[in-house]
Amino acid sequence: VVKLECTQHKGQKDRKHSTSGRGLVAVISKYRLSNSDGSFDNVVMQLMSIDVEDKGAIEAVLNRTVKDSKDVTKVLRGLSKRKSVRCALKVFLWAKNSGVGVNVYHYTTLISAYGRSGSWLEALSTFEEMGREQVDPNIFTFNALISALCIGGEFDRAVEVLRSMQEGGVKPDTITYNTLLSSARSEPTCRKALALYEEMKLLGLCIDRTTVSALICACGQGGQWREALRVFHEAAELEVELDAACYNAIMHVCAKAGKWEEGMQLLGQMKARGIPPSVGTFNVLMSVCARRGRWKLAVLLMRRMKSYGLRPNTITFNTLIDAFNRAGRWGEQRISARVHLEVIRSNLGEEGVAMQFWELSLTIG
């Protein structure tokens, strides 16, 4: 395993509760052990109810409930899902020192817990400890570390981990690459994401809808709308089953580039392929119309939402107002007075106001 240097620092603190060792009996009686389903949720809840600094109380629960390494894995996973990383570390250290022992799954789960909490330095430090303890990482370990680095905004470090796993003989999978693509948020990382995409195809890995939407978003962040369209159309050629999220992503890129014609064509493609649009689909297209001053088209799109059985949200109405403002129409008495009157008189809450505003917009234009 290639060593990746890092500097350790204190992890984020878990939420603490006032339960001490004296209240342990009450805690156990409150959460009766019922692990027949294998979830260990009760044990996890007990541990999270104890002050993380109360080592004795934590160990008492573990000694009572955890019998082997599989049980440790279940507890660690439950704590990881709840982002209780400090408690997860206590459990890990207990297993390491109590004779139960720790394995690759325990290390992987702890790395994942650090990643979920945004503590990528600790995740990297734990990974390095595996090398010192001669515990070989697997694909899940590498994916967990790459995810932790990506969540922490360390895209280049994450790519280094990808290269180290390849050098170590561990083959990356689609999840590995999708995680990297999803974290590309600038022009330099966009170019690297496109290179990773080409690498995926060379390796014969599955290109799925997550790959497509992540790469399109990366291209949008990097200002590469033409590349985004290329990837989108190539996905259709590769027979990737695209969904509304993929279409929304490419429409958003078109919106940023001011390409409203392309966006409207994509809406037609969705209908032809039997892919139902979402509220987000129309919101994106309406934002394109707003930027181009095409307020009547924005109103028309709002009407089409109703034909799909969709209900507008706050973003929809804000976008429509923006379209009126940009076109210099909001100040007209016919529009602004009627809208403000309906909103002032309404006492139905946000949803009620939204529905009245919707019906009003259908009469405009």
Side-chain angles (χ1 to χ4, degrees):
V1 177
V2 178
K3 182 178 181 181
L4 301 171
E5 295 184 356
C6 71
T7 303
Q8 297 187 27
H9 65 79
K10 294 183 179 179
Q12 296 181 351
K13 294 183 178 180
D14 291 339
R15 183 176 57 184
K16 293 184 179 180
H17 299 271
S18 60
T19 306
S20 65
R22 291 182 300 174
L24 181 59
V25 175
V27 171
I28 292 178
S29 62
K30 181 179 180 181
Y31 298 101
R32 293 185 178 276
L33 303 184
S34 177
N35 301 322
S36 58
D37 60 352
S39 65
F40 269 69
D41 284 342
N42 288 334
V43 178
V44 170
M45 295 305 296
Q46 288 179 53
L47 293 171
M48 292 182 64
S49 298
I50 301 171
D51 189 327
V52 73
E53 299 299 333
D54 194 341
K55 181 180 178 181
I58 292 175
E59 291 184 350
V61 172
L62 295 174
N63 288 330
R64 180 187 178 97
T65 60
V66 176
K67 305 303 181 184
D68 53 31
S69 62
K70 291 183 179 179
D71 291 349
V72 174
T73 302
K74 293 173 184 177
V75 173
L76 286 174
R77 285 177 179 171
L79 293 170
S80 175
K81 290 179 181 179
R82 293 166 175 81
K83 298 183 180 181
S84 186
V85 64
R86 294 184 67 205
C87 190
L89 177 59
K90 296 290 185 180
V91 173
F92 179 87
L93 293 175
W94 171 85
K96 188 176 182 180
N97 299 322
S98 67
V100 174
V102 292
N103 55 37
V104 61
Y105 300 106
H106 302 146
Y107 275 104
T108 300
T109 308
L110 183 59
I111 290 172
S112 179
Y114 280 129
R116 290 171 184 266
S117 300
S119 305
W120 67 268
L121 280 169
E122 283 81 0
L124 193 53
S125 177
T126 302
F127 178 79
E128 291 179 351
E129 181 183 318
M130 293 180 67
R132 293 191 296 270
E133 297 293 332
Q134 298 183 343
V135 178
D136 293 330
N138 56 26
I139 179 64
F140 304 107
T141 312
F142 281 107
N143 283 349
L145 179 58
I146 287 173
S147 177
L149 292 169
C150 288
I151 291 174
E154 297 292 324
F155 179 83
D156 290 335
R157 286 180 184 265
V159 174
E160 289 179 17
V161 173
L162 169 65
R163 301 308 173 207
S164 72
M165 69 185 291
Q166 290 173 321
E167 292 172 5
V170 179
K171 294 181 179 180
D173 58 11
T174 298
I175 295 176
T176 312
Y177 283 92
N178 284 354
T179 303
L180 288 165
L181 297 180
S182 298
S183 67
R185 292 290 181 267
S186 64
E187 184 176 354
T189 56
C190 171
R191 291 194 295 268
K192 293 176 182 178
L194 287 167
L196 290 170
Y197 170 67
E198 297 300 326
E199 189 175 302
M200 286 184 72
K201 292 189 291 184
L202 289 174
L203 293 173
L205 294 176
C206 173
I207 306 296
D208 58 21
R209 64 185 64 171
T210 302
T211 312
V212 176
S213 60
L215 188 55
I216 288 173
C217 290
C219 291
Q221 293 288 340
Q224 302 291 326
W225 67 271
R226 290 186 178 85
E227 287 292 338
L229 281 172
R230 178 184 70 83
V231 171
F232 181 81
H233 292 309
E234 188 173 273
E237 295 173 3
L238 294 172
E239 299 183 347
V240 178
E241 294 185 4
L242 303 177
D243 58 6
C246 296
Y247 276 90
N248 292 353
I250 189 62
M251 287 178 183
H252 182 71
V253 173
C254 290
K256 289 185 66 176
K259 305 295 180 179
W260 69 271
E261 297 92 344
E262 287 82 351
M264 294 302 297
Q265 290 174 2
L266 289 167
L267 181 61
Q269 286 184 24
M270 292 183 72
K271 184 176 181 180
R273 295 178 180 177
I275 302 174
S278 64
V279 174
T281 306
F282 286 97
N283 286 348
V284 170
L285 290 175
M286 288 175 64
S287 71
V288 179
C289 296
R291 294 182 184 184
R292 305 295 290 182
R294 301 180 66 88
W295 67 274
K296 289 186 177 181
L297 185 55
V299 172
L300 177 62
L301 286 167
M302 201 167 191
R303 287 174 178 166
R304 292 191 65 179
M305 290 180 71
K306 188 174 183 179
S307 66
Y308 284 97
L310 300 173
R311 303 177 69 179
N313 56 24
T314 304
I315 296 175
T316 311
F317 296 111
N318 288 342
T319 304
L320 187 61
I321 292 172
D322 183 48
F324 291 148
N325 277 329
R326 288 174 182 264
R329 306 285 295 188
W330 184 248
E332 294 185 11
Q333 182 178 2
R334 181 166 174 257
I335 296 176
S336 61
R338 292 184 64 189
V339 171
H340 281 101
L341 183 61
E342 290 295 332
V343 172
I344 291 172
R345 286 180 175 177
S346 174
N347 193 29
L348 302 176
E350 181 179 336
E351 183 175 301
V353 173
M355 293 306 298
Q356 288 199 17
F357 190 6
W358 187 13
E359 296 299 328
L360 175 62
S361 70
L362 300 182
T363 67
I364 298 174

